[in-house]
């Protein structure tokens, strides 16, 4: 037994080496090998290194029927896993070859292994019955032949080659005949005449032995009864009948008619027919014979794929006593019909397929088979729809479904693929197998905003946490690759040195833009920043959008009164003080003081109320109203200029002092206001000149002189002409000095430079205003700081030509003012306290 195993192993090794040279691994194993028997070192024969079989998951792919072998994960050897029965697997087919598919991963490869199961002599010959009764007339002549039913052996080859022996007998011997050049049929031959009276019954033992080593045997007992009389057996007109039928023949189809005659007369010549000795035995269920007519009909459907040839015998027996019989052979050949559609099996499916998979990636392995033969069994396969997959033949009946085009999950996320197979029969039959191939997502799309630039309008003084806008970016990827988070990207402009994240924030999940603090238009007019949308893919992709946040002004600032022009620090020195005195107004303890001479004509400006509003546009457009005294008083105030002038000529009846209450209002909704109190002292013209001269001599004594002027008027009158003369001379000298210095060193309007050409604009009562949302303006006064504003007044002169700088083309301030008679008014004009300027960019 050990030598036999060694021989088998050597044969296996030689066959494996030969198969590898041909591109296919082939092994052979005897049937009934024990579980665990090593068929071959598959991993080594496939060229895999030690341990690589388990790492690359070397395994078999099922082929629809149990293969009874498996691959050892540790060693990579092909082992017998369960009982191998060649007769169960292949029947009488020779050789018995099993086609196996072996898969390895990383990378995915398929190998084809052919396993031949060799026959061993494990089946003994079997007779149809353990006992056979024969009746032979004693009148039978020596050399008479009596056919016997042969035994059948499930093995093949030499193991199925049967020989027969008969127990010793002086009357009978055994002769073997070939049937259809395939089988040996034993015939019982009479060697000596029978004598029923001597031996009425003969009992013999027929033994069938196969050609195996050791040989197996089967026996059948022959019980021979010797009969008298009838000495002529029926004879067929031919010894062999050959019939061909398509496998599509219906049940009841006429097959053939056998004819036998008997030379006897009477009852001894009446013949009945029976079918015997079916090979294979299943033919008993397929064929029936009419016992009287000898007609053969089908009693079951034929199947070429199961049995292609039926061999059986027809026995014609007469009714004599004893009955005699004759025999003939019938060979029924089944013709193949295209009655089996191709079958498609999915042996391996690798899904989902990533959308960045390269062309040529194997998606699935398929096996296609057709049980028909010849042209009916030749199969062609294709994929429908053809794009983006295709089929590649890897071996006979094996195909790979591969990727032919690049995938895009955002366009198609799942494919319904159908593998179709068609045979070469007429008409052709088709088989199909549907596959659902899902495409998995990769992060190949960056988030994209609906707009590249978002314009957001927000009113100032909004509540902290108020929603300003909602931003949304679309990412067509799925799951984490399409989950977008938002953030404010630093780099905002418009808020000075403060970053954009100190003003606004964006919700990371919803994209809601909200304010971190109340916005102040006076601090911030435009904030430009970027919002970044980042997905959760690996690596993450991002998209940006620019947000332009415009703050809309609210009327949240009341007008603020400015001190007289002469008291401003930037007016400077003697010029500012002289201008204040000449204008006839000072500020004492929060009240503005002014002097006016009796007899002053109507329209003479005695003072100017100066105010500014931190708001812009319409909210910063101021108007001045005389609140007290109401009615027809001696004074009036300019609605938009704030200039206090005489409404008529001043008279002594107007009293020595007039108290004016002036309200400054803006145009906002609701309007905000401020109140100014102006005390106007009415004096003689000489006293007014004296007050002007005294005010110009010293800035420290100016306030006291104004406060005590009314009380000292009587004492000054005693020597009025002397004082007038002195003051006139001094005033003229000082006035000349002041005018000269003011004309050379008087400060120009402080303006803020900005991009583009500039235009200097002077406000007046007839000016017009405009509002711009996109361009900032600066409103300036000669003695005050500039402020951000959106209120613009049209100039009363043509704009400067392009080219030189704006400051070089501005006219002198005196040219922009209406001329007002009187020295005091001229001095106030030079102080620039009445003319606010604006820079238009």
């Amino acid at each position: 037994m050990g030598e036999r195993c060694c021989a088998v192993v050597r044969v296996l090794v030689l066959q494996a080496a030969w198969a590898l040279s041909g591109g296919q691994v082939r092994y052979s194993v005897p049937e009934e090998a024990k579980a665990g028997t090593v068929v071959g070192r598959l991993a080594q024969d496939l060229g895999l290194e030690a341990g690589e079989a388990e790492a690359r998951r070397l395994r078999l792919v099922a082929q629809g029927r149990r293969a009874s072998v498996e691959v050892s994960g540790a060693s990579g050897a092909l082992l017998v896993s369960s009982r191998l029965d060649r007769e169960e697997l292949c029947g009488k087919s020779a050789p018995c070859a099993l086609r196996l598919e072996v898969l390895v991963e990383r990378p995915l490869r398929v190998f084809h292994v052919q396993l031949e199961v060799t026959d061993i002599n494990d089946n003994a010959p079997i007779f149809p019955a353990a006992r056979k009764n024969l009746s032979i007339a004693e009148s039978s002549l020596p050399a008479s032949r009596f056919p016997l039913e042969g035994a059948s052996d499930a093995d093949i080859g030499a193991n199925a080659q049967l020989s027969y022996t008969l127990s010793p007998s002086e009357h009978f011997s055994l002769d073997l005949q070939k049937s259809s050049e395939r089988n040996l049929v034993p015939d019982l031959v009479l060697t000596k005449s029978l004598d029923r009276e001597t031996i009425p019954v003969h009992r013999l033992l027929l033994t069938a032995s196969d050609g195996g080593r050791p040989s197996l045997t089967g026996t059948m007992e022959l019980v021979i009864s010797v009969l008298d009389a009838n000495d002529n057996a029926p004879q067929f007109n031919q010894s062999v009948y050959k019939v061909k039928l398509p496998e599509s023949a219906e049940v009841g189809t006429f097959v053939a008619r056998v004819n036998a005659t008997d030379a006897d007369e009477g009852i001894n010549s009446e013949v009945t027919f029976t079918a015997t000795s079916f090979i294979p035995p299943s033919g008993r269920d397929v064929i029936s014979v009419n016992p009287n007519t000898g007609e053969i009909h089908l009693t079951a459907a034929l199947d070429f794929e199961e049995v292609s040839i039926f061999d059986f015998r027809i026995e014609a027996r007469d009714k004599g006593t004893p009955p005699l019989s004759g025999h003939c052979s019938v060979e029924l050949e089944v013709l193949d019909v295209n009655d089996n559609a191709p079958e498609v099996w999915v042996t391996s499916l690798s899904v989902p397929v990533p959308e960045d998979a390269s062309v040529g990636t194997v998606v699935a392995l398929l096996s296609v088979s057709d049980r028909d033969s010849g042209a009916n069994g030749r199969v062609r396969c294709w994929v429908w729809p053809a794009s983006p997959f295709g089929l590649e033949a890897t071996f006979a009946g094996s195909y790979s479904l591969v990727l032919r085009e690049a995938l895009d999950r955002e366009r198609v996320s799942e494919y319904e693929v159908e593998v179709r197979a068609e045979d070469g029969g007429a008409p052709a039959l088709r088989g199909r197998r549907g596959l659902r191939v899902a495409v998995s997502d990769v992060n190949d799309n960056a988030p994209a905003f609906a707009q590249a630039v978002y314009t957001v309008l927000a009113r100032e003084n909004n509540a902290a946490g108020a929603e300003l806008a909602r931003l949304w970016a679309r990412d067509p990827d799925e799951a984490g690759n399409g989950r977008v988070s938002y953030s404010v990207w630093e780099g905002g402009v418009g808020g000075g040195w403060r970053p954009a994240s100190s003003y606004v924030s964006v919700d990371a999940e919803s994209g809601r833009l909200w304010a971190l603090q109340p916005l102040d238009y006076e601090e911030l007019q435009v904030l430009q920043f970027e919002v970044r949308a980042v997905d959760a893919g690996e690596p993450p992709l991002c998209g940006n959008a620019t947000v332009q946040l415009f703050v809309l002004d609210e009327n949240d600032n009341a007008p603020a009164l400015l001190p007289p022009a002469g008291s401003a620090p930037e007016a400077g020195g003697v010029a500012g003080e002289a201008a204040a005195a000449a204008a006839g107004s000072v500020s004492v303890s929060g009240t503005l003081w002014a002097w006016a001479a009796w007899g002053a004509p109507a329209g003479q400006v005695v003072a100017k109320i100066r105010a500014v509003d931190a708001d812009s546009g319409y909210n910063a457009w101021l108007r001045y109203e005389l609140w007290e005294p109401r009615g027809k008083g001696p004074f009036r105030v300019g609605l938009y200029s704030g200039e206090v002038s005489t409404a008529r000529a001043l008279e002594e009846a107007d009293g020595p002092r007039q108290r004016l209450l002036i309200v400054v209002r803006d145009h906002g909704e609701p309007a905000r206001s401020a109140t100014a109190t102006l005390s106007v002292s009415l004096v003689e013209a000489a006293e007014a000149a004296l007050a002007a001269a005294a005010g110009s001599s010293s800035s420290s004594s100016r306030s006291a002189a104004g406060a005590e002027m009314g009380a000292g008027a009587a004492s000054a009158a005693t020597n009025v002409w002397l004082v007038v003369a002195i003051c006139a001379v001094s005033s003229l000298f000082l006035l000349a000095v002041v005018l000269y210095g003011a004309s050379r060193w008087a400060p120009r309007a402080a303006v803020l430079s900005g991009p583009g050409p500039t235009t200097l604009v002077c406000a007046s009562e007839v000016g017009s205003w405009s509002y711009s949302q996109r361009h900032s303006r600066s409103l300036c006064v000669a003695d005050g700081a500039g402020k951000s504003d959106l209120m613009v007044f049209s100039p009363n002169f043509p704009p400067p030509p392009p080219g030189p700088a704006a400051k070089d083309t501005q006219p002198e301030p005196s040219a922009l003012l209406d001329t007002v008679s009187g020295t005091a008014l001229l001095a106030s004009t030079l102080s620039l306290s009445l003319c606010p300027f604006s820079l238009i960019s």
Side-chain angles (χ1 to χ4, degrees):
M1 187 66 181
E3 294 180 356
R4 181 182 178 187
C5 292
C6 293
V8 170
V9 170
R10 287 195 296 271
V11 170
L12 294 179
V13 172
L14 291 174
Q15 288 184 348
W18 177 85
L20 282 176
S21 65
Q24 179 183 8
V25 180
R26 297 184 181 180
Y27 299 103
S28 65
V29 62
E31 63 172 331
E32 303 298 336
K34 294 182 179 181
T37 300
V38 177
V39 178
R41 301 188 180 278
L42 182 59
Q44 181 177 351
D45 294 339
L46 295 180
L48 301 180
E49 299 293 337
E52 192 177 2
E54 185 174 7
R56 297 182 63 184
R57 294 186 61 194
L58 179 66
R59 65 187 187 276
L60 288 178
V61 178
Q63 289 288 330
R65 59 180 179 178
R66 183 170 58 88
S68 301
V69 292
E70 63 182 6
V71 177
S72 172
S75 64
L78 186 64
L79 307 177
V80 176
S81 60
S82 60
R83 178 174 177 265
L84 278 172
D85 188 352
R86 192 205 63 78
E87 289 73 26
E88 180 183 350
L89 294 174
C90 302
K92 298 292 286 185
S93 299
C96 182
L98 302 180
R99 288 191 299 173
L100 307 176
E101 288 186 353
V102 179
L103 293 182
V104 292
E105 297 181 353
R106 299 188 294 271
L108 178 64
R109 292 189 61 187
V110 59
F111 299 92
H112 297 276
V113 177
Q114 182 171 325
L115 177 61
E116 180 180 358
V117 181
T118 59
D119 185 47
I120 65 173
N121 193 25
D122 59 339
N123 292 281
I126 300 175
F127 286 92
R131 181 176 179 178
K132 175 71 173 178
N133 295 318
L134 297 175
S135 297
I136 301 177
E138 65 176 332
S139 58
S140 298
L141 298 176
S144 297
R145 307 176 71 88
F146 303 94
L148 301 176
E149 289 184 289
S152 61
D153 195 325
D155 295 325
I156 61 173
N159 295 329
Q161 293 178 0
L162 302 181
S163 61
Y164 297 89
T165 59
L166 188 66
S167 60
S169 173
E170 62 177 344
H171 295 89
F172 296 94
S173 65
L174 196 63
D175 186 25
L176 301 178
Q177 299 291 329
K178 286 189 177 181
S179 174
S180 304
E181 300 179 357
R182 273 186 289 273
N183 302 306
L184 292 178
V185 179
D187 286 346
L188 186 65
V189 179
L190 183 63
T191 59
K192 183 180 179 181
S193 299
L194 298 175
D195 186 2
R196 188 193 63 80
E197 288 73 17
T198 303
I199 304 176
V201 176
H202 295 264
R203 294 184 180 272
L204 304 176
L205 186 65
L206 179 62
T207 302
S209 302
D210 58 24
R213 294 290 184 273
S215 176
L216 300 180
T217 61
T219 60
M220 181 176 66
E221 183 184 14
L222 301 178
V223 179
I224 304 172
S225 300
V226 181
L227 304 177
D228 284 333
N230 188 25
D231 56 353
N232 288 291
Q235 296 293 325
F236 287 92
N237 57 354
Q238 59 187 80
S239 61
V240 178
Y241 291 83
K242 293 186 178 181
V243 183
K244 295 182 180 180
L245 280 181
E247 62 176 327
S248 60
E250 298 179 356
V251 175
T253 299
F254 174 78
V255 178
R257 181 176 180 176
V258 296
N259 184 29
T261 59
D262 194 317
D264 295 326
E265 293 180 352
I267 194 172
N268 291 331
S269 63
E270 294 180 4
V271 179
T272 59
F273 301 92
T274 57
T276 62
S277 302
F278 285 92
I279 300 177
S282 59
R284 297 180 184 275
D285 302 324
V286 178
I287 300 300
S288 68
V289 178
N290 189 308
N292 298 319
T293 63
E295 291 182 352
I296 304 173
H297 293 82
L298 291 180
T299 58
L302 300 176
D303 190 348
F304 174 85
E305 288 70 36
E306 293 292 335
V307 180
S308 60
I309 294 179
F310 291 95
D311 286 331
F312 57 95
R313 282 191 169 192
I314 301 296
E315 179 184 67
R317 184 184 295 272
D318 60 25
K319 295 180 180 181
T321 302
L324 300 178
S325 62
H327 301 81
C328 72
S329 297
V330 178
E331 182 180 308
L332 174 59
E333 181 180 357
V334 182
L335 302 180
D336 184 37
V337 174
N338 191 25
D339 58 344
N340 291 281
E343 294 181 344
V344 182
W345 301 92
V346 179
T347 58
S348 178
L349 181 62
S350 300
V351 292
V353 181
E355 62 177 323
D356 60 348
S358 59
V359 174
T361 299
V362 177
V363 178
L365 298 178
L366 305 107
S367 177
V368 181
S369 61
D370 192 318
R371 298 181 62 196
D372 294 323
S373 62
N376 297 331
R378 286 195 294 269
V379 180
R380 66 182 185 93
C381 300
W382 70 94
V383 176
W384 186 91
S387 179
F389 301 101
L391 282 181
E392 290 184 358
T394 58
F395 195 69
S398 298
Y399 296 87
S400 296
L401 182 66
V402 298
L403 190 62
R404 292 284 176 80
E405 299 177 5
L407 300 177
D408 186 357
R409 190 205 63 82
E410 288 71 38
R411 185 173 59 89
V412 180
S413 61
E414 187 176 76
Y415 290 88
E416 293 288 345
V417 180
E418 190 174 81
V419 179
R420 297 180 175 181
E422 183 180 77
D423 60 25
L429 299 180
R430 291 185 177 181
R432 62 190 65 191
R433 176 71 62 179
L435 298 176
R436 179 172 293 178
V437 181
V439 182
S440 60
D441 184 51
V442 296
N443 193 26
D444 58 346
N445 290 280
F449 286 91
Q451 301 174 218
V453 179
Y454 289 84
T455 300
V456 180
L457 304 180
R459 294 189 178 276
E460 66 172 330
N461 301 321
N462 60 297
E467 181 176 333
L468 303 178
R470 282 186 181 268
L471 309 180
W472 180 73
R474 178 179 179 272
D475 192 324
D477 294 324
E478 66 177 358
N481 296 333
R483 187 169 58 251
V484 178
S485 59
Y486 304 87
S487 61
V488 174
W489 186 56
E490 295 298 343
V493 297
W497 296 103
R498 299 180 63 184
S501 58
S502 64
Y503 294 98
V504 295
S505 180
V506 62
D507 187 84
E509 296 182 359
S510 64
R512 183 176 68 93
L513 185 67
W514 50 283
L516 292 175
Q517 62 182 11
L519 300 176
D520 188 357
Y521 176 84
E522 288 70 39
E523 176 189 352
L524 176 70
Q525 291 82 40
V526 180
L527 179 64
Q528 180 172 310
F529 56 93
E530 286 191 359
V531 173
R532 176 167 293 178
V534 182
D535 60 28
E538 184 61 38
L541 302 178
C542 65
N544 297 330
T546 301
V547 178
Q548 294 179 343
L549 175 62
F550 292 90
V551 182
L552 303 181
D553 184 47
E554 293 285 337
N555 191 26
D556 56 345
N557 292 283
L561 296 173
L562 299 177
S567 63
E570 50 269 49
V574 177
E577 296 171 359
S585 64
V586 295
S587 175
V588 179
S589 301
T591 301
L592 296 174
W593 291 82
W595 297 267
W598 280 316
Q604 181 175 337
V605 177
V606 298
K608 180 177 178 63
I609 306 301
R610 300 169 61 252
V612 67
D613 195 316
D615 295 322
S616 65
Y618 209 64
N619 296 327
W621 188 20
L622 302 181
R623 64 178 184 271
Y624 302 84
E625 300 176 2
L626 184 61
W627 191 255
E628 292 181 1
R630 293 181 179 276
K632 297 182 179 181
F635 295 99
R636 64 185 178 186
V637 62
L639 181 61
Y640 297 108
S641 65
E643 294 179 345
V644 179
S645 61
T646 56
R648 53 179 172 78
L650 300 179
E651 302 173 354
E652 294 185 3
D654 293 327
R657 184 176 299 171
Q658 290 285 330
R659 181 177 179 276
L660 307 181
L661 185 62
I662 300 173
V663 177
V664 183
R665 300 179 187 273
D666 58 27
H667 284 74
E669 289 293 338
R672 295 180 179 268
S673 62
T675 303
T677 301
L678 177 65
S679 181
V680 182
S681 297
L682 304 181
V683 297
E684 295 290 342
E687 295 177 358
L690 179 62
S696 62
S697 64
S698 174
S699 60
S700 61
S701 62
R702 183 187 58 203
S703 299
E708 299 175 357
M709 184 175 291
S715 60
T718 58
N719 204 3
V720 64
W721 297 112
L722 180 59
V723 173
V724 167
I726 295 173
C727 291
V729 174
S730 301
S731 298
L732 290 175
F733 176 75
L734 292 176
L735 181 60
V737 174
V738 169
L739 291 176
Y740 178 77
S743 63
R744 291 183 60 87
W745 299 294
R748 296 173 179 255
V751 298
L752 297 179
S753 62
T758 59
T759 302
L760 190 64
V761 179
C762 180
S764 69
E765 296 186 29
V766 296
S768 62
W769 68 277
S770 63
Y771 180 79
S772 172
Q773 179 179 331
R774 300 298 299 270
H775 301 285
S776 177
R777 303 291 185 261
S778 296
L779 181 64
C780 309
V781 294
D783 56 349
K787 75 180 187 74
S788 176
D789 203 344
L790 295 177
M791 180 172 173
V792 181
F793 291 91
S794 301
N796 293 327
F797 56 86
K807 66 179 182 179
D808 297 336
T809 61
Q810 294 175 354
E812 290 298 325
S814 60
L816 303 178
L817 304 176
D818 294 333
T819 303
V820 181
S821 61
T823 304
L825 185 57
L826 179 59
S828 65
T829 302
L830 292 176
S831 69
L832 301 180
S833 63
L834 300 180
C835 186
F837 291 93
S838 172
L839 180 66
I840 299 178
S841 60

